[in-house]
Every structure is written in structure tokens, then in C-alpha cells.
Amino acid sequence: MSAKDAEQLAIGFMDVRLRPASEGASLASPGLVQAPSPASTVASPDDRLGEAVSELRRSVAAELLETLGSVSPSFFETIVLDLLHRMGYGASRADLQRVGGSGDGGIDGVISLDKLGLEKVYVQAKRWQQTVGRPEVQGFYGALAGQRANKGVFITTSGYTAQAIEFARSVERIVLVDGPRLAELMIDNEVGISARTVKVPKIDSDYFDEEST
């Protein structure tokens, strides 16, 4: 794949244009071969393709968080459960139930890890703009204690204060997922995300090994 092909791949996905492979490079005169400057390197097509994919992921992650910020709290709770199921929690989607709403006791979802429901993970999902502090995480911990649970996942579209993170680490039964991590997980597990496969050609050196034939 040429450098031009890698650039067109990025543009074809979502109008992302890569930076030139060599910034500030001058054009050589016709008929002359210009040696590359030792201080500047030209990225290979594979490197530029990797850069294109990284730019696409960053752009999609930002758009994804913006989209999550506009959905209803109840639908956000459903999205979180869909993600956790796609990640392998629960034998079937029916094993993940949304219980959020008034009087939910600080629990938005419950995941049954076994058929009899003897082992469960409790979920708190907050579609917030402001940073989640220790009081919210501590309240979730209290809700887990009320359910006699020892596993909890707290997911938000924003972030956590240092005090909230420190508290979660001290109790060792709560996992915190912030907005950037949530977006990455949704992209990796294709929840609310569509993807297409691109075939990148590469020489099959084994095929041209005459000694092995």
C-alpha cells in the first residue's frame, strides 16, 4: 500500500487528512535526486496507516462521548449493560437486567454470572458532565453492602476525582470506568460502532521461497 493509499483510506472513513509524511520538505528540481535530510524521516505506508487508524479512533471516541452525553439516563444504563454483555459478562443478555430509576438504591443494573444467580455484579451508570467524587462512589459502596455484594462496576461518561479513585482502591470491590475508557471499550467491542475490514496487501515470502518447493 502506498502512502497515497493510506491517506485516501483515512479520508474515506471520516474526512480525516493525515499530516504530510515530511513536514516542510522542498520540491527537488526536475532530473535531480535529492538525498533525504538526516534530521527528517519519511514514514512508511504501514506507519502512516497506523497513524490513520489512531486518528480515526480518537475522532470516533470523541464523537461517541458527545453522543452518549445526549442520550437519556435510562438508555445510557442499557448501553452500559450491552457493553458488559459484549465483554463476556452473563451467559445471555437476559442475565443483565436494568433496575435503575427512582428508588433503585444506587444500583442501575445487575449481572448474574451463573445460571442460579448466586454470583452477581452490580452496576452504577452515570451520564454526567461533572467529575464523580468520593461521595458518589462511597454511596455505591454502601448500596453494595446493602445487597451483600462484593463486586461492583461504576461507569461514567466523565471522570473521577483523586479522592474517589483512592476510596475505590481502598475497598477493593469496586471497578471505576471513566469516559475515555468507556469509549475505548465500546469501540473495541463494537457497541454502537460499525467497522469495516480493509485488506492490506503484503508479500508472502514463503510463496517465493524456491528452496521449500
Side-chain angles (χ1 to χ4, degrees), residues 1 46 199-209:
M1 176 178 288
D46 281 348
K199 292 185 177 180
V200 179
K202 181 181 179 181
I203 292 294
D204 183 358
S205 57
D206 291 338
Y207 176 82
F208 292 100
D209 186 1

Side-chain angles (χ1 to χ4, degrees), residues 139-191:
F140 180 52
Y141 176 76
L144 293 179
Q147 298 290 336
R148 296 182 179 179
N150 56 12
K151 291 185 176 73
V153 182
F154 198 122
I155 300 178
T156 182
T157 52
S158 57
Y160 298 93
T161 65
Q163 293 78 10
I165 295 173
E166 181 181 0
F167 175 79
R169 287 174 177 170
S170 68
V171 297
E172 297 183 349
R173 70 166 67 176
I174 298 176
V175 174
L176 303 182
V177 178
D178 61 11
R181 179 60 175 158
L182 171 61
E184 289 294 320
L185 289 173
M186 291 183 67
I187 292 173
D188 290 340
N189 293 277
E190 296 186 10
V191 175

Side-chain angles (χ1 to χ4, degrees), residues 32-88:
L32 296 178
V33 177
Q34 187 177 20
S37 171
S40 64
T41 58
V42 178
S44 69
D46 281 348
D47 290 339
R48 289 174 61 76
L49 180 58
E51 182 183 350
V53 173
S54 295
E55 289 186 28
L56 286 168
R57 285 183 65 95
R58 289 192 295 269
S59 180
V60 170
E63 185 178 357
L64 187 56
L65 285 176
E66 182 178 350
T67 301
L68 291 174
S70 64
V71 303
S72 67
S74 60
F75 186 50
F76 178 63
E77 294 165 3
T78 298
I79 292 172
V80 165
L81 292 179
D82 286 343
L83 171 62
L84 292 173
H85 177 56
R86 190 68 64 88
M87 292 173 63

Side-chain angles (χ1 to χ4, degrees), residues 1-18 45 48-49 52 56 196 198:
M1 176 178 288
S2 67
K4 185 65 176 178
D5 290 335
E7 181 176 1
Q8 290 300 320
L9 172 62
I11 296 173
F13 266 107
M14 55 161 38
D15 240 358
V16 175
R17 186 175 294 276
L18 297 178
R48 289 174 61 76
L49 180 58
L56 286 168
R196 71 180 184 182
V198 178

